[in-house]
Amino acid sequence: GFAKVDHHRALRNGFPEVVFCQGKAKEHIIEILTNLLKHGHNILATRATPEVYEAVQAHIPEASYSELARVITVLKEPILKRGRVLILSAGTADLPVAEEAAITAEIMGCQVERLYDVGVAGIHRLLDNKDKLNDAQVLIVVAGMEGALASVVGGLTDKPVIAVPTSVGYGASFGGLAALLAMLNSCSAGIGVVNIDNGFGAGVLANSIIRAIVASEV
Amino acid sequence: GFAKVDHHRALRNGFPEVVFCQGKAKEHIIEILTNLLKHGHNILATRATPEVYEAVQAHIPEASYSELARVITVLKEPILKRGRVLILSAGTADLPVAEEAAITAEIMGCQVERLYDVGVAGIHRLLDNKDKLNDAQVLIVVAGMEGALASVVGGLTDKPVIAVPTSVGYGASFGGLAALLAMLNSCSAGIGVVNIDNGFGAGVLANSIIRAIVASEV
Amino acid sequence: GFAKVDHHRALRNGFPEVVFCQGKAKEHIIEILTNLLKHGHNILATRATPEVYEAVQAHIPEASYSELARVITVLKEPILKRGRVLILSAGTADLPVAEEAAITAEIMGCQVERLYDVGVAGIHRLLDNKDKLNDAQVLIVVAGMEGALASVVGGLTDKPVIAVPTSVGYGASFGGLAALLAMLNSCSAGIGVVNIDNGFGAGVLANSIIRAIVASEV
Amino acid sequence: GFAKVDHHRALRNGFPEVVFCQGKAKEHIIEILTNLLKHGHNILATRATPEVYEAVQAHIPEASYSELARVITVLKEPILKRGRVLILSAGTADLPVAEEAAITAEIMGCQVERLYDVGVAGIHRLLDNKDKLNDAQVLIVVAGMEGALASVVGGLTDKPVIAVPTSVGYGASFGGLAALLAMLNSCSAGIGVVNIDNGFGAGVLANSIIRAIVASEV
Amino acid sequence: GFAKVDHHRALRNGFPEVVFCQGKAKEHIIEILTNLLKHGHNILATRATPEVYEAVQAHIPEASYSELARVITVLKEPILKRGRVLILSAGTADLPVAEEAAITAEIMGCQVERLYDVGVAGIHRLLDNKDKLNDAQVLIVVAGMEGALASVVGGLTDKPVIAVPTSVGYGASFGGLAALLAMLNSCSAGIGVVNIDNGFGAGVLANSIIRAIVASEV
Amino acid sequence: GFAKVDHHRALRNGFPEVVFCQGKAKEHIIEILTNLLKHGHNILATRATPEVYEAVQAHIPEASYSELARVITVLKEPILKRGRVLILSAGTADLPVAEEAAITAEIMGCQVERLYDVGVAGIHRLLDNKDKLNDAQVLIVVAGMEGALASVVGGLTDKPVIAVPTSVGYGASFGGLAALLAMLNSCSAGIGVVNIDNGFGAGVLANSIIRAIVASEV
Amino acid sequence: GFAKVDHHRALRNGFPEVVFCQGKAKEHIIEILTNLLKHGHNILATRATPEVYEAVQAHIPEASYSELARVITVLKEPILKRGRVLILSAGTADLPVAEEAAITAEIMGCQVERLYDVGVAGIHRLLDNKDKLNDAQVLIVVAGMEGALASVVGGLTDKPVIAVPTSVGYGASFGGLAALLAMLNSCSAGIGVVNIDNGFGAGVLANSIIRAIVASEV
Amino acid sequence: GFAKVDHHRALRNGFPEVVFCQGKAKEHIIEILTNLLKHGHNILATRATPEVYEAVQAHIPEASYSELARVITVLKEPILKRGRVLILSAGTADLPVAEEAAITAEIMGCQVERLYDVGVAGIHRLLDNKDKLNDAQVLIVVAGMEGALASVVGGLTDKPVIAVPTSVGYGASFGGLAALLAMLNSCSAGIGVVNIDNGFGAGVLANSIIRAIVASEV
Ligand SMILES: Nc1ncnc2c1ncn2[C@@H]1O[C@H](COP(=O)(O)O)[C@@H](O)[C@H]1O
Ligand SMILES: Nc1ncnc2c1ncn2[C@@H]1O[C@H](COP(=O)(O)O)[C@@H](O)[C@H]1O
Ligand SMILES: Nc1ncnc2c1ncn2[C@@H]1O[C@H](COP(=O)(O)O)[C@@H](O)[C@H]1O
Ligand SMILES: Nc1ncnc2c1ncn2[C@@H]1O[C@H](COP(=O)(O)O)[C@@H](O)[C@H]1O
Ligand SMILES: [Mg+2]
Ligand SMILES: [Mg+2]
Ligand SMILES: [Mg+2]
Ligand SMILES: [Mg+2]
Ligand SMILES: [Mg+2]
Ligand SMILES: [Mg+2]
Ligand SMILES: [Mg+2]
Ligand SMILES: [Mg+2]
């Protein structure tokens, strides 16, 4: 058919291929999801509009939906949560991306804590939560506009920091470019950056780090 | 001749036309400076290389030079310093731009305090100096790379903040574009941004604010 | 909850956190506004569509709306106007941004005068109003297309000039980029530039300068 | 050989192919110029370094050179000047480009007047010369930085205006991009723009307009 | 009021201020047009949607509309056509811009000939019409995609050529940027370029050249 | 009329002018198609919306439509298929572009094989199909996001590879720019790149190569 | 060691790995070339400065050098030329890139004809050579500035056209970007574009097409 | 003084502030290094030219230098290597960046394995080394040109992948932008990207992941 679902991926990466719904026809999405479900794994589909969810749910009644994060999940196996991932957001407009990261990390088996709306315009909100930074094993920083939160967090911790620029802003933000460039040029060394609005990618990277930690614990 | 020196400017703006040396022949620079000196004002020339200074000094022995800031000054009138301008820099590589701002503001009559190398990668260096922020009437923040210092300073003060992005950085800094975009998109509202590496412009704007303050005091 | 309203801000900056409505759910906006109103301050919410206003008004009947400027205001305290801010616009299409600046400066306590549609294609319209330039303490110049008005105004005055590029234009204006670059590169030194269409930021910066003037008057 | 000199051009365009020296070997330039001279026309070569001129002069002793404009000329026929072209420049750093335009227009047979260093930061310098604008048949405006001079001149005249952005500036001028975009977006309608630093092209266009005027006079 | 209509313009430029409808409220447009009509001149309004035209016509019944060119015209004075302007387009998708140029030039008093759909992919269509190129006094070339038509026309004629890049295309045309850059870098020297899709500006420039020709004829 | 259909093209290129529907009025499209059909050739129209197809079909009932590829075809002559073109796509979201290429190549007379959804995230899907690569004479690689598939295919084959970047992606894909730049910079030398989403152009180029192969076979 | 020379490539692609000298130390280049020579194949090294050649020749005396094309070649096997590749250039400044393409195609076994300096500013130079276009099996068009030559050639032939944008130009050519975008957006469908200044890549692609032609002849 | 060395950093991040030499005066570098050495830690200075090293060595004789990686190191404490970091490079021209990453990770205490010159143009070189991918805990992929190696590696492993785009390339690589965008848009989810040529940042991020692994092992 039109799709070659990568069934090896659950073996290689510990989680089956995630469906990127944007630009796909509803029937295609349903066909791929149905195909994936046959293997009994948990399922994640990102960038799903409410209309897509409605169509999916008609075929897969157990499918859940986060309207904020625009993700569909189907739980077939129990999730064993391990690791400690902290997700910070600069503003409330960054929540959809932060939640996409959170749900991705969670369904892949991470324990996730959220610390939202702690942007640098009121930096005491972040400084009051230093203990949360210390408790985490991996941090995800989600920020639009000028993305300065990533640099400040990076300066306060020695943990791996994953930065997600968002398209929140207007004018010279150029759809998230300002935050992206800021994060790539951070004076706090050692921040790993993912694509604009790519909460999914940040969740996957956080999970791969947690996997590496857990693997070595054994 | 080739140049129409704007002699009205000392009247309109309180300081005569400043000479931008980049891309001008030495003889032209000397001719313009000599012309300006006839009016008895203090003189400022920016973007001057050591070679330009050497040529100028041969004709105008009282000319001084800051190699770091690349500016030539000639003092003919005493400067009455008023106002309190604080200039912050993120790193030591931003010093040439910070000093260009400082010398510009000083020769135009501002009292300038410097707080250098307080970038957000080690934010305690800034937080330890909050009193300096409180004492100032105008703040100039000079930063390259991701320019996050401007947002953090803007969040800590209610004073006018002038942000100067610098070309310090490499790769996706794109010659200062990353810092410029960050400052324009700052989540700390009300920051006035000048061109990349434009310490001179920041000094002029700071001085115009100090002038407005002093004018209303009378 | 999802939002950490920065209640310190009224103390730090003299005005409480302003709500940026773009990209926020109506319920979130209402929740944040209601939360802010408890402290008895005046309230400003920008980038509000008519639909957002309708929803807000159902909960906060005393809320006012400027459809042109797309801002919601709630007045709880009398405003003591001080200072003299002049707002110029190049064309009539720049009015939404100019009015956002004007209402922002006014609710924060500035006296605002407007001089609209004085673009450089008919420069006599500006030159006939030089007395207004002289009377002001701070000037805000709002212009799209090539943004030349900022440079001409900057050359005519020694007051602080804040330039706001707008997205008015098409083709190679690239959403306001042409005006933004022009203002950053102005040959009239000392202009502070804010983000494209950021009337709000210009109003805040003007107010911070007026605050500095008033503070020193005492 | 390597070059197919376009000998038809003198017939089609009234002036033979102009040699663009940048990126050509000296021997090639000399070979092309010698080839062109055989037809007895006047010759123009642009973007010539002093080294190129030296090499050319050894073979063609009657060749002249403008170091400022970086052009080589060889006069074989008398030039009959007609038409009135006015060339304005914003600053003295724009002179090389303005002179390239002037010499190009002159060798093609235009009468050229120069009005240099009349940028908008001191707009009285331009307003004092309105009669020169009125006398001209075609105007060329040469400006770097934010290029605002083109808009102001365009608003003051009904003559054809040719705008030449220059690479004078730094930072967010991006090698002349700021001035180029400004000129393309001018609110003064009907300005024809040429490439950054392309004084040559402006001279050619001015000459083609003068040719059209003269052609209709007969 | 909100608008300072530039009534001098009819005197300065031979045609009153043209109304740019994009981004203006219908009432504003009607108010400005009504205001302009009082002076008895012909009127041009560009970038008008059918809805705008409908609203205008309700108040100004004699208003005409070109849906293709999106322009409204009101004829109050007879037009004396003089000069010969040739407008070429590369494809049929460029017609809206070509017609905006044509109607602008015509209402300002130019005789206009059209030569459409002669793009370089089938170059014989252009070469078969060389006589039309020879007959014209000014040429306007309208082309999207790679804009090569401007260079080919420029190489075939010694008349002034005005190039209008259009946003016709997709992908790496980047909204007309590809054609704009091509026209600015044309190897056929002396082409004056206007903004992307700016048929209006091309018409104005063509008219100013025709005016200069006519002025010298007397 | 408004259009100069290039009837020579069937002779020059072996297939008549293809209609690009985007930005054309329905009546214009119908007029051009009807005009082309008179010559008895097969017809191809690209970028056709379902509404355009509906209007076309009302006049030309034998017209077919691929909703996925957005192309209309009218078959008047039998197609003699020759050559072996392999079309690969990285993901299922790239199908519309891949099918535009496939239908274009087929109607021009190529035999086309499809190998879809073989992106490098699961590279075994490609490596398992090496025999298909070996069997083809020309390969078309269609990929969005980072476009890496083109480089990997280019490294596995010595056949001509045509790369089509697609606009599939978001954020820093900048509408397909990321894939376009990747393909242009491929470390696998000798890949010919067409515009973003230009499946049509890839099909034409593949066909011209097949034509050259067939021409030499005789 | 530091390099894993891809010795399979001669088998896969019919020619061994080509050495890209830019950014490599002389010793590394010599080591890689010596390594490659052991297999008895002909050798090509691109982007070699005269200094690199001098160092190479000291170790490999039979190495030849084209200073214009900046390529080193070592011939160990006789070259059997087949196929007909025509290389066109727009100007003489494009020769280095055109020659890089020519030498690459030749050493890989193609017969190459050159048609240089036939840019569209004097289009008769191209039209006079239509027979050369007709004789070729593959065409390579090398052009800087606005790159219009590719579109005109593409409109005149049904053969595969490979377009190479060059960095010849200045200002808004942005290092070849203008020509690159023009070629990607060509209205002459089916042109395969390679990277700016990538004569090497064009030669490889031309050769792969000739290989496909020859393979099918057998 | 001019610098506020961040002595807390060794405590916060396990390694003292690293000196970025680019754009700093030699005396400043020596002063900062001397200052840091007083605390007895190992020292790392990046982007150091041979001249800088020479000056440093005169004051700090025990300083070592990697000319390839442009880094200076001073070892004062023994390094306890733990963890397994694999660094892959696409070409030999990427070695300076790969080595900067390697030396950074090593001095911070990581065990580093190198797998260089395994770009996707000859993909068997990578596929032959799958065991090395399996053995690592963290992978760093260094690639210029189109950066495809990161996607292929990301598809083959479930370990955290850090991607470093390099400026290796020319033309439309735009100084590494092509590789950067490719890596950000990788279809292999969960790759953390650092700035162009930022081997240092990749080394720091790898080390922070190894630290997190080691911390949880205890
Ligand atoms: N300064 C210049 N800027 C742009 N084009 C030029 C310049 N000088 C000469 N030319 C054009 O460059 C072309 C010569 O290119 P070439 O064949 O490479 O010598 C001629 O068509 C000239 O019209
Ligand atoms: N289509 C158009 N493109 C660019 N400028 C235009 C256009 N139509 C009118 N204008 C100009 O826009 C200005 C009017 O702007 P405003 O004051 O906002 O109405 C006038 O100076 C006109 O010359
Ligand atoms: N939100 C997302 N952003 C980026 N990539 C995604 C996202 N969701 C899924 N993917 C990736 O997209 C690929 C699926 O592409 P496709 O074959 O077109 O369905 C998988 O490799 C996923 O890892
Ligand atoms: N001028 C050139 N432009 C682009 N790629 C080239 C050039 N010359 C050689 N190459 C490619 O560069 C690769 C060699 O890279 P490296 O391993 O760094 O030596 C080979 O795959 C060649 O096909
Ligand atoms: Mg908030
Ligand atoms: Mg420091
Ligand atoms: Mg107006
Ligand atoms: Mg001057
Ligand atoms: Mg057509
Ligand atoms: Mg897939
Ligand atoms: Mg030539
Ligand atoms: Mg290699």
Side-chain angles (χ1 to χ4, degrees), chain H residues 37 40-43 62-64 73-79 107:
Chain H
L37 278 172
H41 296 301
N42 293 333
I43 297 294
E62 69 271 37
S64 304
T73 47
V74 192
L75 294 192
K76 287 292 191 182
E77 303 175 299
I79 306 176
I107 201 170

Side-chain angles (χ1 to χ4, degrees), chain C residues 46-47 69-71 96-104 197-200:
Chain C
T46 64
R47 305 277 161 143
R70 294 150 308 162
V71 304
V97 180
E99 279 300 305
E100 193 188 57
I103 296 174
T104 299
D197 290 335
N198 191 2
F200 163 67

Side-chain angles (χ1 to χ4, degrees), chain C residues 30-153:
Chain C
I30 290 163
E31 192 178 328
I32 298 175
L33 289 180
T34 309
N35 188 330
L36 281 165
L37 277 172
K38 286 186 197 138
H39 294 74
H41 295 303
N42 293 333
I43 297 294
L44 179 66
T46 64
R47 305 277 161 143
T49 59
E51 294 71 42
V52 162
Y53 173 58
E54 207 180 316
V56 165
Q57 209 198 20
H59 285 77
I60 310 174
E62 68 271 37
S64 304
Y65 186 56
S66 160
E67 194 175 339
L68 186 59
R70 294 150 308 162
V71 304
I72 296 170
T73 48
V74 192
L75 294 192
K76 287 291 191 183
E77 302 175 300
I79 306 176
L80 256 167
K81 300 268 184 73
R82 73 280 186 269
R84 297 183 306 279
V85 176
L86 178 67
I87 304 187
L88 305 99
S89 90
T92 53
D94 302 314
L95 285 192
V97 180
E99 279 300 305
E100 193 188 57
I103 296 174
T104 299
E106 283 174 339
I107 202 170
M108 292 183 172
C110 298
Q111 228 170 305
V112 170
E113 175 143 23
R114 288 145 169 95
L115 181 57
Y116 288 168
D117 200 25
V118 293
V120 301
I123 204 166
H124 54 92
R125 298 177 298 187
L126 176 69
L127 299 177
D128 292 352
N129 283 287
K130 271 192 190 164
D131 51 337
K132 293 203 172 154
L133 273 66
N134 290 337
D135 284 354
Q137 289 174 309
V138 181
L139 297 97
I140 296 176
V141 180
V142 181
M145 295 179 165
E146 93 288 47
L149 184 60
S151 292
V152 175
V153 169

